[in-house]
Amino acid sequence: MHDHRRLGRELDLFDTDPLIGAGLPYWLPDGATVRHTLEEYIRDAERQAGYRHVYSPVLGKRELYEISGHWAHYSDDMFPPMDLGGEQVVLRPSLCPHHALIYRSRSHSYRELPLRMAELGGMYRSELSGVLGGLTRVRSIQLNDAHVFCTLDQVADEVAAALELIRRAYRALGITPARFRLSLPGPGGKYVDAPELWRRSTALLTEVLERSGLPHEAVGGEAAFYGPKIDVQIADSAGRESTLSTVQVDFHQPERFDLHYIGPDGAKHRPVMVHRSVIGSVERAVAHLVEQYGGAFPAWLAPTQMVILPVSEGERERAEALAGSCDAIGLRAEIAGPERGSLGARVREARLVPYQAVIGAREATDDRVALRLRNGRRLDPLPVVDVIDRIGALVRDHSTELWDSADG
C-alpha cells in the first residue's frame, strides 16, 4: 500500500517543517509541477464549460461570515478573529461568501444566467492536530471551487453539467469513484432552520441523480450547514473513503446576501446558488493520486515526462536538440547523461518517468530515438519528430495511456 506522506518525501514532492507549523505543507519543485499542471487542467476545463474565473482575498470581516451563517454554524472550524484597526477579520473557511458579494456588486439580468463563477482559491480551517496528516487533512487549503447563480428552472441542468465535468476529470486522472452520496442533515443545531428550503434542495439533487442513472445512497449528518449536497466518494488502497468532489444546492445564502436578478417581467427575483467543486482540495486530490499511482503519474501530469539518455558524450548534442524540441511544445524533459552512471543505472533511476528516450550512435546519425515506456515496453527506433508528435498528442488529450494502441 502506498503512503503519500512517505512518497511525498522520497519523491521530493512536498514536506513540512515544525517552524511553519502542523497542517501547513510546502511544495517542492516536482510537487509544485504536479499541482500547477492539475490546476491548469481544471481551469481550462472550467473555461470550456462556460465558467469565468475570479480572485478573492483569503481574509474577510467577521460580519461577512455572520451574514453567511458560517459564524453561527461553523465557527469551531475557523481560526480566531484578528483585530485590525478596530475591526475583526478572519481567515476564510470557504469561498462562497466572497463569490456572493462579487455577484452582488453588479446588477444582473435573467439573460446572463446561469452565471458561472470559479476560483482556485486559498482558505483556512482550524483542524485539530490529531486529525492532520500529509496532504489529506491540512489547515491551509487550495480549493477548486465554483458557484453558479441561476434560476430555479436551471438548477437541475447545472447540477447535471457539474457531474459531467467531474466525470471527465476523473477519466483524465484515472480516478474511479467509490460511490455517490446524497448528504443530508442530521440531528442537532448545526444546520440552517429552513425545512422547506431543505426539502426543495434535496428534491432537486435526488432528481438529477436519478435522471443521470447514478447509484447513490442518502446519508444523514453529512450535509453542509446551508443545504444538502452530492458527495463523490473515493477510496484509498486500504478502503478508507474520503470526499473529493461535491455539488450543492443553496437557497440560503442568496437570501442572506439579498441576491437578485432582473427577470423578463422587470421585477427582482432571487437566484439559486449551486456550489460545485470538481477536484475539491488540490492537496487531497494530489494525495490520492500519489497513493494511486505510487508516483508513476499519467504522462500529462508527471513532473518529468521524458528523460533523454545519450549512451555516451558523443550523443550529447542530439540529446540537447531533443530536449529543445520537447521544450518548444511544452513537454517536460531532462537529460541524464553518462556522468550519472551506466545506461542501465540511469534507466532504473528514471523508472517513474513515462518516457525514456535512448540515443546511441546509430540513432544520433539517423535523427531517431529508441523509446522505452515506463511499463517496460520498448519501441523500435523512431524519427524524433514522430516521437514528439505522438507523445505531445497524448499529453494534450490528457490520456492515461502511454502510447496509442493503434500505433503498434
Side-chain angles (χ1 to χ4, degrees), residues 68-294:
S68 70
H70 285 82
W71 192 255
H73 299 280
Y74 202 75
S75 59
D76 288 347
D77 295 297
M78 297 171 64
F79 282 96
M82 295 173 279
D83 292 321
L84 186 66
E87 297 178 335
Q88 285 194 322
V89 297
V90 295
L91 288 165
R92 66 178 174 192
S94 65
L95 281 67
C96 44
H98 287 75
H99 287 189
L101 291 184
I102 293 174
Y103 176 90
R104 195 176 74 176
S105 68
R106 304 288 188 275
S107 61
H108 300 282
S109 161
Y110 71 96
R111 294 185 179 89
E112 299 174 60
L113 306 186
L115 189 153
R116 305 180 184 99
M117 186 185 303
E119 180 176 3
L120 269 158
M123 65 182 197
Y124 296 82
R125 293 185 177 174
S126 182
E127 300 278 9
L128 298 175
S129 298
V131 302
L132 298 172
L135 296 178
T136 53
R137 293 293 289 271
V138 293
R139 288 171 171 161
S140 173
I141 302 165
Q142 192 75 10
L143 188 68
N144 161 229
D145 204 9
H147 298 92
V148 181
F149 302 89
C150 60
T151 69
L152 182 61
D153 290 343
Q154 294 169 333
V155 170
D157 286 343
E158 289 302 310
V159 171
L163 290 173
E164 175 59 19
L165 198 57
I166 291 168
R167 186 193 67 80
R168 291 201 299 269
Y170 281 27
R171 182 176 61 195
L173 293 165
I175 295 175
T176 302
R179 64 186 174 117
F180 291 83
R181 186 179 73 191
L182 179 59
S183 296
L184 303 175
K190 109 179 211 188
Y191 304 101
V192 170
D193 185 16
E196 177 58 22
L197 298 184
W198 282 96
R199 187 196 65 75
R200 292 168 69 191
S201 302
T202 302
L204 281 165
L205 291 179
T206 302
E207 173 196 338
V208 174
L209 284 167
E210 292 177 349
R211 192 175 74 186
S212 301
L214 295 173
H216 62 278
E217 56 182 305
V219 178
E222 296 292 341
F225 73 84
Y226 49 78
K229 54 186 177 139
I230 297 171
D231 287 326
V232 185
Q233 301 296 103
I234 56 172
D236 64 17
S237 55
R240 293 184 295 255
E241 278 195 10
S242 59
T243 301
L244 188 61
S245 312
T246 64
V247 187
Q248 308 166 24
V249 173
D250 182 1
F251 290 97
H252 172 71
Q253 289 190 74
E255 183 176 321
R256 297 281 291 190
F257 285 103
D258 192 26
L259 305 184
H260 62 265
Y261 65 91
I262 304 302
D265 57 358
K268 291 183 177 180
H269 298 268
R270 186 83 68 207
V272 183
M273 196 170 172
V274 176
H275 304 238
R276 182 247 67 196
S277 183
V278 175
I279 59 165
S281 106
V282 173
E283 290 80 7
R284 181 172 291 179
V286 172
H288 181 78
L289 292 168
V290 170
E291 295 193 350
Q292 176 171 324
Y293 291 109

Side-chain angles (χ1 to χ4, degrees), residues 20-92:
I20 296 177
L24 300 170
Y26 58 84
W27 298 76
L28 295 161
D30 278 358
T33 297
V34 173
R35 170 175 164 169
H36 176 80
T37 304
L38 180 59
E39 290 176 350
E40 281 304 297
Y41 164 77
I42 290 298
R43 284 194 184 97
D44 189 56
E46 289 172 336
R47 280 193 294 267
Q48 292 182 40
Y51 288 82
R52 301 289 299 277
H53 289 90
V54 299
Y55 286 110
S56 57
V58 297
L59 289 171
K61 290 171 65 173
R62 171 175 164 171
E63 181 184 358
L64 170 63
Y65 301 99
E66 290 174 341
I67 294 171
S68 70
H70 285 82
W71 192 255
H73 299 280
Y74 202 75
S75 59
D76 288 347
D77 295 297
M78 297 171 64
F79 282 96
M82 295 173 279
D83 292 321
L84 186 66
E87 297 178 335
Q88 285 194 322
V89 297
V90 295
L91 288 165
R92 66 178 174 192

